[in-house]
Amino acid sequence: MRNSSRSSVDPFIVMDVMEAARKAEEGGRHIIHMEVGQPSTGAPAGALRALGNALENNALGYTVALGLPELRKRIAQLYGDWYNVDLNPERVIVTPGSSGAFLLSFTALFDSGDRVGIGAPGYPSYRQILKALGLTPVDIQTAPENRLQPVAADLKGQKLAGLMVASPANPTGTMLDRAAMGSLINAAQAEGASFISDEIYHGLEYEAKAVTALELTDECYVINSFSKFFSMTGWRVGWMVVPEDHVRVVERIAQNMFICAPHASQVAALAALDCEDEMRENLAVYARNRQLMLEGLPKAGFTKIAPPDGAFYVYADVSDLTDDSRSFAAEVLEKAGVAVTPGLDFDPVRGATTLRFSYARSTADIEEGLARLALYMASRD
Ligand SMILES: Cc1ncc(COP(=O)(O)O)c(C=O)c1O
């Protein structure tokens, strides 16, 4: 049987790193994981309690496609609490993770062949999902002086049907401030491009508060998730906010693609929204880890790093050390016992000379990882 040409998407290189790390561990080695992009903590205690109750009292069948009404309402309230934005709960759609929201939004907004701008470096699945849907991802090569984020001038003449941004971003952790976000929204609207804002790392910010696109316009899709701040990656639950006149369009697609997000996860997510104190404790760990990274990475020799405003990543330009980040990462794993992600996942062009370090694990792990990196780098001199 033949495969479609749109199914020929690239693998996630970080998965190969994880597999190599697993094999090393199987062989008895102790590996520090700076490759994984997820919290090592589980879902908040309140979420687990709520699910425990639901397991006893609720058949947990399908929910309506747009999600549990009380969850949509509570998510809308979050926009009031976090950003002072008055959001109509009818505009909130619960999704199977933000990954499910990408499928829904790209399907709802674009026609086959449409060109959609994404920042490079950026989260790899944007490109692969766009390709798998028969759309054309357009890499926007971002500049260090723009915090490795797209700027308005990048859209000129690109004939984009859409622009996808992320703030804080993966792999860089950099953010768009209000002025930068506003100017991108204006530029996208001027070009007739739909604006999609991936806000999955909101809540994980260290210097300034992240700006939601909804503070600036209602004419956008905002995507978020319980995976990162709420520490619920495996639960596969997220949400998106769409303009009022798009709700029914997305609802019809969601009914057919997914029926609904997992009911059990929606119950847990509703309770997680009232567990902010526990989430803030996790955030304090990331803040401490980030400080250690900012001190330790340059000392080890990784001096060219993007300003890590949020999320739990540091993205380093290692062009003075290698032009093959994949084999460099393999060497770091083998010689230092630290798993890191080569930049090629995030930027097919310049990623050969970049690495992403994640600091989502425990502080003890980060300290040990930094010590190993310093030792290894010293041994190369
Ligand atoms: C920027 C970004 N968006 C989306 C996702 C996918 O998240 P979810 O678990 O909500 O599908 C990730 C995962 O790492 C990410 O880094």
CSV table of all heavy atoms in Angstrom, one decimal, residues 37 97-99 102 123 126 166 170 198 200-201 225 227-228 233 236 313, ligand 1:
chain,number,residue,atom,x,y,z
A,37,GLY,N,11.0,18.0,27.6
A,37,GLY,CA,10.2,19.3,27.8
A,37,GLY,C,9.0,19.1,28.6
A,37,GLY,O,7.9,19.6,28.2
A,97,GLY,N,-5.4,18.3,24.5
A,97,GLY,CA,-4.1,19.0,24.6
A,97,GLY,C,-4.0,20.1,23.6
A,97,GLY,O,-4.9,20.3,22.8
A,98,SER,N,-2.9,20.9,23.6
A,98,SER,CA,-2.8,22.0,22.6
A,98,SER,C,-2.6,21.3,21.3
A,98,SER,O,-2.9,21.9,20.2
A,98,SER,CB,-1.8,23.0,23.0
A,98,SER,OG,-0.5,22.4,23.1
A,99,SER,N,-2.0,20.1,21.2
A,99,SER,CA,-1.8,19.4,20.0
A,99,SER,C,-3.1,19.2,19.2
A,99,SER,O,-3.2,19.4,18.0
A,99,SER,CB,-1.1,18.1,20.2
A,99,SER,OG,0.1,18.2,20.9
A,102,PHE,N,-4.2,22.5,17.7
A,102,PHE,CA,-3.5,22.8,16.4
A,102,PHE,C,-4.3,22.2,15.3
A,102,PHE,O,-4.6,22.9,14.3
A,102,PHE,CB,-2.1,22.3,16.4
A,102,PHE,CG,-1.1,22.9,17.5
A,102,PHE,CD1,-0.1,22.1,18.0
A,102,PHE,CD2,-1.3,24.1,17.9
A,102,PHE,CE1,0.7,22.6,19.0
A,102,PHE,CE2,-0.5,24.7,18.9
A,102,PHE,CZ,0.5,23.9,19.4
A,123,TYR,N,8.6,25.4,17.8
A,123,TYR,CA,8.1,24.0,18.2
A,123,TYR,C,7.9,23.2,16.9
A,123,TYR,O,7.1,23.6,16.1
A,123,TYR,CB,6.8,24.2,19.0
A,123,TYR,CG,6.2,22.9,19.4
A,123,TYR,CD1,6.9,22.0,20.2
A,123,TYR,CD2,4.9,22.5,19.1
A,123,TYR,CE1,6.3,20.8,20.6
A,123,TYR,CE2,4.3,21.3,19.5
A,123,TYR,CZ,5.0,20.5,20.3
A,123,TYR,OH,4.5,19.3,20.6
A,126,TYR,N,4.4,22.2,14.8
A,126,TYR,CA,3.7,23.1,14.0
A,126,TYR,C,3.9,22.8,12.5
A,126,TYR,O,3.0,22.6,11.7
A,126,TYR,CB,4.1,24.6,14.1
A,126,TYR,CG,4.1,25.2,15.5
A,126,TYR,CD1,5.0,26.2,15.9
A,126,TYR,CD2,3.1,24.9,16.4
A,126,TYR,CE1,5.0,26.8,17.1
A,126,TYR,CE2,3.1,25.5,17.7
A,126,TYR,CZ,4.1,26.4,18.0
A,126,TYR,OH,4.0,27.0,19.2
A,166,ALA,N,4.5,31.9,19.4
A,166,ALA,CA,4.5,31.3,20.7
A,166,ALA,C,5.3,32.2,21.7
A,166,ALA,O,6.4,32.6,21.4
A,166,ALA,CB,5.1,29.9,20.7
A,170,ASN,N,9.0,27.8,22.8
A,170,ASN,CA,9.9,26.6,22.8
A,170,ASN,C,10.6,26.6,21.4
A,170,ASN,O,10.0,26.7,20.4
A,170,ASN,CB,9.0,25.4,22.9
A,170,ASN,CG,9.8,24.1,22.9
A,170,ASN,OD1,11.0,24.1,23.0
A,170,ASN,ND2,9.1,23.0,22.9
A,198,ASP,N,0.2,30.6,20.5
A,198,ASP,CA,0.3,29.4,21.4
A,198,ASP,C,0.8,29.9,22.7
A,198,ASP,O,2.0,30.4,22.8
A,198,ASP,CB,1.4,28.5,20.7
A,198,ASP,CG,1.6,27.2,21.5
A,198,ASP,OD1,1.2,27.2,22.7
A,198,ASP,OD2,2.3,26.3,21.0
A,200,ILE,N,1.0,28.1,25.6
A,200,ILE,CA,1.1,26.9,26.5
A,200,ILE,C,2.0,27.2,27.7
A,200,ILE,O,1.9,26.5,28.7
A,200,ILE,CB,1.5,25.7,25.7
A,200,ILE,CG1,1.5,24.4,26.6
A,200,ILE,CG2,2.8,25.9,25.0
A,200,ILE,CD1,1.7,23.1,25.8
A,201,TYR,N,3.0,28.1,27.5
A,201,TYR,CA,3.9,28.3,28.7
A,201,TYR,C,3.5,29.5,29.6
A,201,TYR,O,4.3,29.9,30.4
A,201,TYR,CB,5.4,28.4,28.1
A,201,TYR,CG,5.9,27.1,27.6
A,201,TYR,CD1,6.0,26.9,26.2
A,201,TYR,CD2,6.3,26.1,28.4
A,201,TYR,CE1,6.4,25.7,25.7
A,201,TYR,CE2,6.7,24.9,27.9
A,201,TYR,CZ,6.8,24.7,26.6
A,201,TYR,OH,7.2,23.5,26.1
A,225,SER,N,-3.0,25.0,27.4
A,225,SER,CA,-3.0,23.6,27.7
A,225,SER,C,-2.8,23.4,29.2
A,225,SER,O,-2.2,24.3,29.9
A,225,SER,CB,-1.8,22.9,27.0
A,225,SER,OG,-1.6,21.6,27.4
A,227,SER,N,-0.8,21.1,30.2
A,227,SER,CA,0.4,20.3,30.2
A,227,SER,C,1.6,20.9,31.0
A,227,SER,O,2.3,20.2,31.7
A,227,SER,CB,0.9,20.0,28.8
A,227,SER,OG,0.1,19.1,28.1
A,228,LYS,N,1.8,22.2,30.9
A,228,LYS,CA,3.0,22.7,31.4
A,228,LYS,C,2.8,23.4,32.8
A,228,LYS,O,3.2,22.8,33.8
A,228,LYS,CB,3.6,23.7,30.4
A,228,LYS,CG,3.7,23.1,29.0
A,228,LYS,CD,4.8,22.0,28.9
A,228,LYS,CE,4.7,21.4,27.5
A,228,LYS,NZ,5.8,20.7,27.0
A,233,THR,N,1.0,16.8,31.6
A,233,THR,CA,1.3,16.5,30.1
A,233,THR,C,0.5,15.2,29.6
A,233,THR,O,-0.1,15.3,28.6
A,233,THR,CB,2.8,16.2,29.9
A,233,THR,OG1,3.2,15.3,30.9
A,233,THR,CG2,3.6,17.5,29.9
A,236,ARG,N,-3.6,14.9,28.4
A,236,ARG,CA,-4.1,15.3,27.1
A,236,ARG,C,-5.3,16.2,27.2
A,236,ARG,O,-6.4,15.9,26.7
A,236,ARG,CB,-4.4,14.1,26.2
A,236,ARG,CG,-3.3,13.1,26.1
A,236,ARG,CD,-1.9,13.7,25.9
A,236,ARG,NE,-1.8,14.5,24.8
A,236,ARG,CZ,-1.2,15.7,24.8
A,236,ARG,NH1,-0.7,16.2,25.9
A,236,ARG,NH2,-1.2,16.4,23.7
A,313,TYR,N,13.3,26.4,29.4
A,313,TYR,CA,14.4,26.1,28.4
A,313,TYR,C,15.4,27.2,28.3
A,313,TYR,O,15.1,28.4,28.5
A,313,TYR,CB,13.8,25.9,27.0
A,313,TYR,CG,12.7,25.0,26.9
A,313,TYR,CD1,11.4,25.4,26.6
A,313,TYR,CD2,12.9,23.6,27.2
A,313,TYR,CE1,10.3,24.5,26.5
A,313,TYR,CE2,11.8,22.7,27.1
A,313,TYR,CZ,10.5,23.2,26.7
A,313,TYR,OH,9.5,22.3,26.7
B,1,LIG,C1,5.2,25.4,22.3
B,1,LIG,C2,4.5,24.1,22.5
B,1,LIG,N1,3.2,24.0,22.1
B,1,LIG,C3,2.5,22.9,22.2
B,1,LIG,C4,3.1,21.7,22.8
B,1,LIG,C5,2.2,20.5,22.9
B,1,LIG,O1,1.6,20.4,24.2
B,1,LIG,P1,0.3,19.6,24.6
B,1,LIG,O2,0.8,18.6,25.6
B,1,LIG,O3,-0.7,20.5,25.2
B,1,LIG,O4,-0.2,18.9,23.4
B,1,LIG,C6,4.4,21.8,23.3
B,1,LIG,C7,5.0,20.6,23.9
B,1,LIG,O5,6.1,20.6,24.3
B,1,LIG,C8,5.1,23.0,23.1
B,1,LIG,O6,6.4,23.1,23.5
